[in-house]
């Protein structure tokens, strides 16, 4: 199946959860699973309460036979390193901006990093149903923000949609007649490049997110950069300089399907996977089949500077 990996970037309350819920519903994910899930992005509240790292959440929908992995990006400056690691797993981004409030600090913080990474975000001016919406002004503000962050001509020429996540539609014009989010799905599939991965090489990925689970132990999540991850396969964790941190066996593979993580036997290059079985490996390290001796680029080639 074709894959697109995107980050979703928004200031808190600009409607990320509502929009992702609608994407799930309209792609049939809720219907398939036959159960009502509360709110897409709030599934980690428990972990948050327990004080574990605030995790990036990955939602996965299938639209016209393309799997779209949507990774929530923490907007807070405290998660700077995590934001960069998340952006390293994606080839595109959706920047969601409230049509009344405009671009706010969390939007700016993550947009700056996305632009530096060379991503070409799609802009969604959301909540245009608000009586105080000023959609066109906000469009101009986003353009100015991109320009101020040093966006290239290509990045400045961003595709843009107006939307009401709450009403479940997106369109190229404010007064459009779209009744669903098909314009957004289509734009993601057309505008975001497919992951540039090598399916035939031995398995390797960079660990982008680290979590700990009471039953599974350490869980490392990343995008499979090459080959196929398989349950029970031997793997090694490599530091950037190629030092072997540990050798282990993959005990469990979890793929992201809808809102859930589902145990699977294998995951192909390009998709995002959570791997259990390693006990020492950490973020930015390469998890790979034993025949891989060099680490993959864990960080952007041109690392963003913190300002
Ligand atoms: P998040 O913090 O970005 O995940 O935002 P939520 O999806 O939780 O939405 C924040 C608030 O904005 C909630 O009260 C939503 O009901 C409201 N909201 C979300 N989308 C829309 C929209 O399209 N139009 C309007 N008017 N309100 C919205």
């Amino acid at each position: 199946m074709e894959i697109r990996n995107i980050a979703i970037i928004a200031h808190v309350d600009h409607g990320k959860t509502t929009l992702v819920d609608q994407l799930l519903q309209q792609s049939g994910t809720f219907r398939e699973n036959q159960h009502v899930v509360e709110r897409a992005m709030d599934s980690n509240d428990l972990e948050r309460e327990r004080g574990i790292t605030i995790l990036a959440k990955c939602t996965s929908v299938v639209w016209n036979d393309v799997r779209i992995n949507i990774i929530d990006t923490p907007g807070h400056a405290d998660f700077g390193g995590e934001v960069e690691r998340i952006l390293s797993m994606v080839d595109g981004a959706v920047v969601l901006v409230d049509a009344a409030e405009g671009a706010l600090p969390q939007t700016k913080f993550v947009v700056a990093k996305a632009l530096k990474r060379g991503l070409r975000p799609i802009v969604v001016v959301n909540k245009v149903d608000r009586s105080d919406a000023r959609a066109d002004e906000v469009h101009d503000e986003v353009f100015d923000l991109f320009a101020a962050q040093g966006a290239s001509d290509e990045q400045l020429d961003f595709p843009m949609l107006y939307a009401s996540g709450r009403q479940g539609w997106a369109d190229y014009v404010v007064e459009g007649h779209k009744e669903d989010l098909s314009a957004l799905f289509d734009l993601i599939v057309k505008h975001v490049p497919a992951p540039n991965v090598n399916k035939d090489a031995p398995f390797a990925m960079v660990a982008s997110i680290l979590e700990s689970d009471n039953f599974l132990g350490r869980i490392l999540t990343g995008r499979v950069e090459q080959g196929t991850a398989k349950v029970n396969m031997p793997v090694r964790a490599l530091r950037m300089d190629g030092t072997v941190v540990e050798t282990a066996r993959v005990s469990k593979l979890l793929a992201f399907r809808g809102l859930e993580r589902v145990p699977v036997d294998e995951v192909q290059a390009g998709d995002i996977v959570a791997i259990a079985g390693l006990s020492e490996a950490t973020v930015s390290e390469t998890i790979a089949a034993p025949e891989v001796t060099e680490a993959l680029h864990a960080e952007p080639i041109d690392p963003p500077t913190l300002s």
Side-chain angles (χ1 to χ4, degrees):
M1 187 182 283
E2 265 198 71
I3 293 176
R4 298 292 183 274
N5 294 315
I6 60 165
I8 186 158
I9 299 171
H11 193 87
V12 65
D13 277 347
H14 282 195
K16 197 154 64 171
T17 311
T18 307
L19 183 76
V20 171
D21 280 355
Q22 282 292 325
L23 289 169
L24 279 159
Q25 267 170 29
Q26 293 189 23
S27 63
T29 313
F30 280 176
R31 259 173 289 133
E32 249 171 54
N33 292 352
Q34 288 299 323
H35 59 229
V36 180
V37 184
E38 301 225 320
R39 287 162 45 102
M41 295 282 182
D42 287 347
S43 56
N44 278 308
D45 281 356
L46 197 63
E47 279 149 37
R48 207 170 291 159
E49 275 168 28
R50 286 200 237 115
I52 305 175
T53 347
I54 298 189
L55 304 171
K57 282 144 281 179
C58 185
T59 308
S60 180
V61 301
V62 176
W63 178 257
N64 289 345
D65 293 327
V66 181
R67 173 172 301 291
I68 304 172
N69 293 320
I70 305 164
I71 309 176
D72 186 13
T73 319
H76 200 275
D78 287 356
F79 301 105
E82 186 169 341
V83 170
E84 267 144 37
R85 291 196 301 274
I86 287 168
L87 294 177
S88 74
M89 290 194 284
V90 300
D91 304 290
V94 170
V95 178
L96 194 64
V97 184
D98 185 306
E101 299 197 352
L104 291 181
Q106 290 172 17
T107 329
K108 294 181 185 170
F109 174 74
V110 187
V111 161
K113 290 186 184 298
L115 292 173
K116 284 203 181 105
R117 237 204 107 69
L119 300 177
R120 294 178 56 213
I122 294 166
V123 174
V124 175
V125 175
N126 191 33
K127 303 196 190 182
V128 297
D129 61 286
R130 279 179 67 151
S131 57
D132 55 350
R134 40 184 197 93
D136 290 325
E137 253 172 75
V138 167
H139 169 220
D140 294 347
E141 278 174 27
V142 174
F143 183 90
D144 292 344
L145 166 65
F146 276 39
Q149 300 290 352
S152 67
D153 289 349
E154 269 199 319
Q155 288 171 324
L156 277 177
D157 191 21
F158 51 81
M160 203 204 60
L161 293 171
Y162 298 98
S164 168
R166 184 186 272 172
Q167 295 171 351
W169 62 266
D171 205 333
Y172 286 91
V173 285
V174 188
E175 303 297 335
H177 299 288
K178 278 267 181 344
E179 286 170 1
D180 57 30
L181 292 167
S182 54
L184 179 55
F185 282 114
D186 286 342
L187 193 47
I188 291 168
V189 171
K190 282 194 196 120
H191 180 78
V192 177
N196 179 18
V197 291
N198 181 353
K199 287 189 165 37
D200 301 320
F203 163 70
M205 72 170 214
V206 177
S208 293
I209 304 166
L210 170 68
E211 302 159 59
S212 81
D213 177 274
N214 285 345
F215 298 104
L216 298 174
R218 231 162 225 256
I219 300 182
L220 294 151
T221 299
R223 176 176 66 181
V224 179
E225 297 295 327
Q226 55 182 57
T228 304
K230 291 186 179 144
V231 171
N232 285 326
M233 77 184 291
V235 287
R236 303 193 305 173
L238 306 174
R239 293 212 183 93
M240 283 294 271
D241 64 3
T243 317
V244 178
V245 178
E246 71 171 303
T247 302
R249 207 165 267 281
V250 172
S251 62
K252 195 129 194 158
L253 280 180
L254 301 166
F256 296 86
R257 300 292 177 255
L259 282 175
E260 302 183 348
R261 289 199 223 195
V262 183
V264 290
D265 291 333
E266 54 177 71
V267 174
Q268 314 283 335
D271 206 353
I272 291 170
V273 69
I275 294 188
L278 293 108
S279 55
E280 284 159 63
T282 189
V283 290
S284 299
E285 291 173 0
T286 296
I287 314 298
E291 55 266 48
V292 175
T293 54
E294 279 182 37
L296 303 174
H297 284 289
E299 301 300 332
I301 314 275
D302 174 20
T305 43
L306 284 170
S307 51

